[in-house]
Amino acid sequence: MKNHIAVFIFALVLWMAAVPLQPAIAQDNSSTNLATIGSPVRSMVELGSVYSNIYDITITVLETVRGKEAMGRLKAADPANKLPAEGFDYVLARVKFEFKGRAVSDKIPFDLGNAPLQWVALSGNDLTEYGRVSPAVPKPTLTGIVGPGKSVEGWVAFAVDAKDSKPVMVFDPDTGGATGRGRTLFFKLY
């Protein structure tokens, strides 16, 4: 009987060593290790004021468009959209935001708002925050309330220095009236 238990434990240890564990990708994500376009970044947000619930999120920048093409899409979305300030380019990012509760009782939604304030553009040189812009973006927009087990995909717009060849997008669940607490995540906009 002891031999069977020893063999079972040995087999279990071998199985655990052989099965690759899925890494917590957000731990590798930082201002010096940006997520590339198309690479999903998994993290968590904590919601609730009295009793906190932890929700898993996955954010993927699906595509980016910059310069004349971005301006063309903005004009198509709303002809009243104006050119960016002198020396700046618009950058559009199409983002997928997935939101999952960890327990059946997790029912709190995540509010992306009417203007997604959690999304910010930074200079690729020194991570200085760019000012917010609010042109009408192509549909669908990355706004609204996302319930557990749901996802939303949409566009956000930024204005970045035309000389900045490597702008960065940041998702910060703690800012802009957001209800979440969690890690700041960094993405390439190029």
Side-chain angles (χ1 to χ4, degrees), residues 28-34 127 186:
D28 295 336
N29 181 270
S30 69
S31 61
T32 58
N33 189 20
L34 310 170
L127 300 180
F186 298 85

Side-chain angles (χ1 to χ4, degrees), residues 45-48 51-55 103 105-108 181:
V45 292
E46 188 177 346
L47 302 178
Y51 298 105
S52 295
N53 294 39
I54 296 177
Y55 294 81
S105 60
D106 292 342
K107 304 280 187 211
I108 301 172
R181 292 169 298 283

